[in-house]
Amino acid sequence: MQIWALASALLVVATAAEDGYLPIQGVRTTYKILTEAAADAPVVEVGDKVTVHATGIVAQTNKKFWSTKDKGQQMFTYTAGGGVITGWDMGARGMGKGEVRSLHIPADEGYGAGGFPAWGIPPNGDLIFELEVHGISKNGKEKEPSSSRKISKDL
């Protein structure tokens, strides 16, 4: 059983690396940076209030199920460290303000076996999210640029 789990994990990492997506330690979600943040940009850490533009697509159908960029929608704010699905939460950690990432989120780190039928996410539906960080605050104050930005590729 352990050999099968190891083989599966290696396959996920190999597949992700082939399409330019990078692994995140502790989860199967992978990411690709589409737009880099400034070198001194504040980064998302557990406990931060994070404001993003987000677009979600069901990987199996390539159908968009939600976007804050759609007419009548607003940016979305959540608390890092559990305020959203696991793949999004872990995939956004370490993002800098202004950064844009694409996340490949497997079903078990998204909406799981039940899916989210009201949004068109089938049971065991994998997701692709594009996240764009617009604001990061801690204790009610916007985080300031830092000269020692922590780059965390494998949180």
Side-chain angles (χ1 to χ4, degrees):
M1 185 69 167
Q2 288 178 336
I3 292 174
W4 175 250
L6 179 60
S8 294
L10 291 174
L11 179 60
V12 167
V13 170
T15 303
E18 287 175 13
D19 63 5
Y21 283 76
L22 302 170
I24 299 167
Q25 186 175 356
V27 293
R28 295 186 319 119
T29 295
T30 57
Y31 76 98
K32 181 192 297 189
I33 297 174
L34 304 178
T35 303
E36 295 267 352
D40 66 346
V43 298
V44 175
E45 300 172 292
V46 173
D48 290 345
K49 290 272 188 210
V50 185
T51 301
V52 297
H53 265 307
T55 299
I57 296 169
V58 175
Q60 288 85 344
T61 62
N62 207 32
K63 282 187 79 173
K64 177 177 69 173
F65 61 86
W66 177 65
S67 179
T68 60
K69 293 183 176 185
D70 287 347
K71 186 176 180 168
Q73 296 291 314
Q74 297 179 357
M75 284 191 267
F76 181 75
T77 300
Y78 70 98
T79 301
V84 289
I85 57 175
T86 300
W88 171 334
D89 187 48
M90 295 299 288
R93 292 185 195 180
M95 284 183 75
K97 184 176 179 180
E99 184 174 327
V100 181
R101 279 188 189 179
S102 178
L103 305 176
H104 278 185
I105 303 174
D108 62 327
E109 294 173 4
Y111 293 99
F116 198 132
W119 281 7
I121 301 171
N124 298 309
D126 296 339
L127 307 174
I128 300 167
F129 263 99
E130 183 175 295
L131 301 180
E132 180 179 340
V133 177
H134 282 267
I136 306 170
S137 62
K138 186 171 244 24
N139 301 322
K141 294 184 181 183
E142 192 70 20
K143 288 174 85 172
E144 298 294 326
S146 167
S147 59
S148 61
R149 180 169 178 224
K150 179 179 90 178
I151 306 293
S152 30
K153 302 290 186 205
D154 55 3
L155 292 170

